[in-house]
Amino acid sequence: MSTAKTLLTRCDSKCELCGSTNSLAPFAVPPKTDINVDNCVMICDTCTAQIEDSATMDVNHWRCLNDSMWSQVPTVQVMSYVLLSKLTSESWAQDALDMMYVEEDVKEWAEKALLSDGEKPRDINGVELKKGDDVTVTKDLPVKGTNQVIKQGTVIRGINLTDDPRLVTGKANGGQSMYVIAEFCRKK
């Protein structure tokens, strides 16, 4: 069964946050980026738009979190915790967050999501880096644990993102994969 079908079965074809049945799609819960059943919630386009652009957040829409925060699904708990944390200026959201109980590993995931929220890997010019981008190293960088140096001007092709928004990973000069601080790179 596909990820989307499994998620639709799990959520009974309703948004796992607000209960809407319109335009449902899987959403990877930060800081995770891969789409699979254990890392995603099935949410509607309204929730997705408001999560991706917090400037459009309608506080009243998120009152639905009073119900979704009690879900037994860890990804739904994480998203509820993260969204309630962003709305703590609202007394009802702070009250809900104070009442919410989550297992320790779920809370750790939610805390990581809050830390990574809004933080995207950016190059030396502030340009957001995405998976698959090619970057050029802008200064000589020592490779931790060795006496090697990645020279300025080295191209790293097809980078991958990490859970830490400051780091990207890739192979330089066909060697082994290594972590590089994003701000010491320039997107090609």
Side-chain angles (χ1 to χ4, degrees):
M1 191 181 282
S2 74
T3 299
K5 285 184 180 181
T6 303
L7 288 170
L8 283 170
T9 301
R10 178 179 83 190
C11 70
D12 197 26
S13 297
K14 295 178 185 170
C15 175
E16 291 185 284
L17 297 178
C18 74
S20 172
T21 57
N22 298 331
S23 303
L24 300 176
F27 181 85
V29 177
K32 314 285 186 183
T33 56
D34 53 325
I35 302 292
N36 69 49
V37 174
D38 296 328
N39 294 344
C40 290
V41 289
M42 184 62 86
I43 59 176
C44 67
D45 55 351
T46 302
C47 288
T48 302
Q50 291 188 40
I51 290 169
E52 290 179 345
D53 183 8
S54 58
T56 65
M57 280 186 107
D58 174 9
V59 173
N60 289 320
H61 172 79
W62 294 112
R63 288 186 181 267
C64 61
L65 296 173
N66 284 316
D67 294 326
S68 62
M69 70 184 218
W70 300 112
S71 172
Q72 296 300 307
V73 179
T75 52
V76 177
Q77 293 173 351
V78 170
M79 285 305 301
S80 297
Y81 187 95
V82 167
L83 292 165
L84 286 169
S85 296
K86 290 181 181 182
L87 296 167
T88 54
S89 62
E90 300 292 321
S91 61
W92 64 266
Q94 183 61 55
D95 292 343
L97 193 59
D98 291 343
M99 283 189 301
M100 189 174 182
Y101 173 78
V102 293
E103 295 293 332
E104 196 60 38
D105 59 329
V106 172
K107 187 171 184 175
E108 286 176 23
W109 183 358
E111 295 294 337
K112 285 180 184 176
L114 282 167
L115 289 174
S116 70
D117 187 40
E119 292 183 42
K120 307 286 186 206
R122 298 193 181 276
D123 75 358
I124 195 167
N125 297 318
V127 176
E128 183 180 337
L129 299 174
K130 298 188 186 303
K131 181 178 179 175
D133 285 346
D134 295 340
V135 296
T136 304
V137 176
T138 58
K139 69 179 234 173
D140 289 353
L141 298 173
V143 178
K144 201 175 205 178
T146 71
N147 60 358
Q148 296 177 329
V149 173
I150 301 174
K151 295 287 188 187
Q152 177 179 348
T154 300
V155 176
I156 301 174
R157 299 196 184 282
I159 63 166
N160 286 304
L161 306 182
T162 66
D163 286 345
D164 184 342
R166 296 172 300 145
L167 301 175
V168 295
T169 183
K171 293 181 181 181
N173 302 326
Q176 66 185 31
S177 185
M178 62 187 74
Y179 290 91
V180 179
I181 298 171
E183 67 186 51
F184 297 135
C185 299
R186 182 176 52 252
K187 186 175 177 177
K188 285 190 70 135

